[in-house]
Amino acid sequence: MSALITYKGVEVHQADQIVLHDINVSVESGEMVYLLGKVGSGKSTFMKTLYGALPTVAGEANVLGYDMLRIRRRQLPYLRRRMGIIFQDYKLLTDRSVEENLLFVLRATGWKDKTLMRNHVLEMLRQVGMETKAYKRPYELSGGEQQRVVIARALLNSPEMILADEPTGNLDAETGKEIMDLLYAISQAGITVLMSTHNQQWPEQYPGRRWLFEGGEIRE
Ligand code: ADP
Ligand code: MG
C-alpha cells in the first residue's frame, strides 16, 4: 500500500453542481503529476478535496491514509501538516519578514526550540536560494522570489506531497522555469508533486504523468 492517493468512483460538488464524477486515480510516492485542462474544468476543486477543503461525496477516497469521506474536522490539521500547499498568489503574510512567515508556520505546528527553528528556516530558505533575503518583507520581493519563499514554507515540515495550484501562473517564462526547476528537484527527491498548469511546455521539459480534466472526468 504505497499509494499516497487512491480515489475510486469519487464525485465532487461545488455549491449544487457536480464538478467531478467517477474519478478513479492513484498516485504513488515520488510521482510528478500535471493537472491539465480548461479554466473551470475542476483542477482546483480536485486539489481542495486532497486537503479536505471540499468533501468527496461518493465512492472511496484515501489520502495519506485518511479516509476522506469520513475524516473529522479536527483531523485536518494533521493531514495538512503532511502536505505542502502552493498557490498561484503566494499567500504570504505581508506584515512580517520572510523569516517570520516561516517561523509562524513552525510555531503553529508545535515547534518550540528557537535555535532549532531559526536554523531550520534558514536551511529551507537556502534550499530555494533565498537565505540572503530572510529579513525582507514579501512586498520587497519579486513574484518569483515570493514563490520561492512559498516553496520553502511548503517544505518546512518535510511533506510527503506538494500540491501546487498554477504555481507559475503569475510568472514570466524565465522565472517560471526557475520555479519548475525547484519543483522538479523536489519530485526527484521522492516527494510527490501534483501541479495544475496552463503551460503546455512544462510536461515536455519536466516529464510527468498528465491528467486532462474534461467533462467532469480525469483522462490520463
Ligand atoms: P479550474 O481550477 O480547473 O479552473 P475550478 O475547480 O476552479 O476549475 O472550478 C470547477 C467548477 O466549479 C467551475 O464550474 C466553477 O465555476 C465551480 N466553482 C469553483 N469554485 C466554486 C465556489 N467557491 N463556489 C461555487 N462553484 C465553484
Ligand atoms: Mg483553478
Side-chain angles (χ1 to χ4, degrees):
M1 242 240 7
S2 64
L4 301 189
I5 302 170
T6 309
Y7 278 22
K8 290 183 185 157
V10 165
E11 186 173 300
V12 189
H13 299 197
Q14 283 272 21
D16 51 5
Q17 172 199 4
I18 298 176
V19 175
L20 299 168
H21 62 269
D22 198 25
I23 299 302
N24 296 285
V25 290
S26 161
V27 177
E28 310 271 322
S29 95
E31 288 192 301
M32 176 90 190
V33 184
Y34 291 98
L35 280 57
L36 309 169
K38 294 200 177 96
V39 173
S41 60
K43 304 179 297 296
S44 297
T45 297
F46 177 82
M47 285 205 182
K48 284 177 185 162
T49 67
L50 297 176
Y51 54 92
L54 271 178
T56 49
V57 296
E60 266 178 68
N62 192 289
V63 180
L64 300 179
Y66 288 91
D67 175 348
M68 299 307 286
L69 272 82
R70 286 167 196 86
I71 192 167
R72 301 295 188 88
R73 190 173 290 272
R74 65 180 157 74
Q75 293 176 297
L76 290 177
Y78 299 98
L79 168 67
R80 289 174 187 170
R81 207 167 287 185
R82 292 170 56 192
M83 32 176 87
I85 303 174
I86 298 170
F87 298 98
Q88 177 175 3
D89 57 353
Y90 321 128
K91 298 198 193 300
L92 290 165
L93 304 170
T94 54
D95 64 341
R96 62 198 80 190
S97 70
V98 163
E99 181 176 352
E100 278 299 329
N101 264 273
L102 272 60
L103 287 171
F104 178 84
V105 172
L106 291 185
R107 277 195 292 274
T109 51
W111 289 58
K112 304 274 185 235
D113 184 311
K114 292 226 161 35
T115 311
L116 217 59
M117 288 162 76
R118 183 147 200 284
N119 288 344
H120 187 59
V121 162
L122 291 178
E123 170 58 22
M124 290 300 115
L125 289 173
R126 195 190 58 73
Q127 282 191 20
V128 300
M130 287 297 292
E131 72 278 19
T132 62
K133 304 205 170 159
Y135 65 92
K136 296 248 187 199
R137 293 287 180 94
Y139 55 77
E140 298 179 279
L141 305 175
S142 70
E145 289 174 328
Q146 290 185 57
Q147 199 59 300
R148 285 171 182 276
V149 173
V150 170
I151 292 173
R153 183 180 63 181
L155 292 172
L156 280 173
N157 281 314
S158 310
E160 286 147 85
M161 176 155 73
I162 295 280
L163 306 178
D165 200 355
E166 302 200 34
T168 63
N170 286 341
L171 305 175
D172 62 65
E174 191 54 37
T175 312
K177 198 167 178 324
E178 291 168 17
I179 294 301
M180 283 308 299
D181 284 336
L182 280 174
L183 290 174
Y184 197 67
I186 289 168
S187 82
Q188 295 292 97
I191 300 170
T192 300
V193 176
L194 273 78
M195 71 169 275
S196 67
T197 184
H198 285 109
N199 189 325
Q200 302 291 333
Q201 275 181 34
W202 300 147
E204 306 285 338
Q205 294 177 17
Y206 305 88
R209 293 171 66 184
R210 302 177 198 201
W211 292 354
L212 181 63
F213 284 66
E214 201 172 49
E217 295 178 14
I218 302 178
R219 284 196 291 114
E220 181 144 14

